[in-house]
Amino acid sequence: MDRKLDIVHTVTDWYDGPRSGIADYQGSPYLYQSEYLDTSPSDMDAFLLIPIDQDVFQLALEDWAIWRRWEIAFHSGETAPETHPVLPEDRKRHEELQRLLDGRLVIDPNRAVRKAAKFQDRNDPVWNDYPLTVCWLDIP
């Protein structure tokens, strides 16, 4: 059986794979966040998902594009690590976006959907061939 692949729009935390960000789920953008605990007896990584509105989605995508510009420039040797996470010319807009998004990218566990995830494996640290994809799976 073929499983549907959804687009991962942002990855705001990474540890051995995506831990949080925004991805599609059932045709709409959702904030996702890993519940993975190193102390868990299972290797299964569960994610909490909650829908976000289009305004928040567009602001987050703009901030993601700013970060991607920095990441590409850093990996190509065009900027120094000290500029992280944004290029100097993008800093003011990034800070404004951070203020606009403050408190709006939060998952309420009581309203969230809980799923397992299989992210498409990537070897390229800059992911020039975005989009990254995910298959959301039911947790047995």
Side-chain angles (χ1 to χ4, degrees), residues 12 14 21 25 30 61 87 89 110 114 124 133 135:
T12 54
W14 177 279
Y25 174 68
Y30 274 64
L61 286 181
L87 297 170
E89 60 269 22
N110 297 320
R114 193 166 184 260
D124 177 11
T133 56
C135 180

Side-chain angles (χ1 to χ4, degrees), residues 70 73-74 77-84:
W70 178 87
F74 174 74
E78 297 173 15
T79 194
E82 296 79 29
T83 63
H84 185 269

Side-chain angles (χ1 to χ4, degrees), residues 34-101:
S34 169
E35 286 188 308
Y36 183 79
L37 300 173
D38 288 334
T39 57
S40 173
S42 167
D43 285 339
M44 181 179 292
D45 193 0
F47 288 81
L48 296 177
L49 294 99
I50 194 160
I52 58 172
D53 65 45
Q54 283 298 313
D55 181 48
V56 169
F57 181 51
Q58 292 306 315
L59 293 170
L61 286 181
E62 183 181 352
D63 201 40
W64 177 249
I66 289 171
W67 183 80
R68 290 280 295 140
R69 283 195 294 274
W70 178 87
E71 183 185 41
I72 291 166
F74 174 74
H75 286 285
S76 64
E78 297 173 15
T79 194
E82 296 79 29
T83 63
H84 185 269
V86 298
L87 297 170
E89 60 269 22
D90 289 327
R91 185 154 309 278
K92 182 177 179 183
R93 180 60 179 160
H94 166 72
E95 290 171 356
E96 181 180 358
L97 289 166
Q98 291 296 292
R99 283 190 298 277
L100 292 169
L101 289 167

